[in-house]
Amino acid sequence: MNLINSHQQDDLTVISFNINNLDAGNADAFRKQVRPVLEESKKVAIDMSALQFVDSSGLGALLSCLRFCNENGGSLVLFGLQRTVTALFELMRMHRVFNLFTSIDEIVGALS
C-alpha cells in the first residue's frame, strides 16, 4: 500500500498521506516510503491534513524524518495538522521541535 504521495511546488517537495492514522501499524512502512523522497529533496513540507491520529510511533517516524533532513542540510516543516494531532504535538512539546504551519501558502510566504 502506498502511504504517501509527493509532488513539487516551486522548490518545495510536498508529501501528503493516503492514510488517516500514523501509528505503530504503519510507522515503519512510512519511514521506508518517505526516505527516498527525503534523499532527493532539500526543502520538504509534510501535509498532515489527512491524519486524524498520530501515536508515539508516528511521532518517532516524523522525528526521524526531521533528523534526516537536518543531518543532510535540508529542512522539513509540517502543515495542516488536525485539532487532535495539534493537541498531541502540544502535549508532547513537539510544536517546539517542528516548524508548524497552517497551509502551504503560509510556508511559501515564509520561505520566500
Side-chain angles (χ1 to χ4, degrees):
M1 177 181 186
N2 197 10
L3 303 179
I4 61 169
N5 291 318
S6 66
H7 71 276
Q8 286 296 126
Q9 184 165 339
D10 300 320
D11 62 343
L12 188 66
T13 300
V14 180
I15 297 171
S16 58
F17 287 93
N18 296 325
I19 52 178
N20 295 332
N21 300 324
L22 183 60
D23 55 26
N26 57 21
D28 286 338
F30 167 72
R31 280 190 189 102
K32 290 177 184 169
Q33 290 183 22
V34 77
R35 178 58 68 98
V37 178
L38 299 178
E39 290 173 350
E40 295 288 321
S41 307
K42 288 293 182 192
K43 293 181 182 178
V44 177
I46 298 181
D47 180 356
M48 302 281 289
S49 61
L51 293 180
Q52 298 175 1
F53 176 78
V54 177
D55 73 0
S56 60
S57 296
L59 279 177
L62 292 167
L63 282 169
S64 71
C65 293
L66 179 63
R67 187 175 312 116
F68 180 85
C69 287
N70 289 341
E71 290 173 355
N72 291 286
S75 63
L76 181 138
V77 299
L78 307 178
F79 72 99
L81 282 74
Q82 298 283 334
R83 183 177 300 168
T84 55
V85 176
T86 299
L88 172 70
F89 270 65
E90 290 174 355
L91 179 68
M92 302 302 290
R93 307 278 190 221
M94 290 295 111
H95 64 293
R96 296 180 180 182
V97 175
F98 288 94
N99 288 321
L100 304 177
F101 294 88
T102 57
S103 70
I104 192 72
D105 293 334
E106 186 182 16
I107 296 168
V108 172
L111 297 178
S112 59

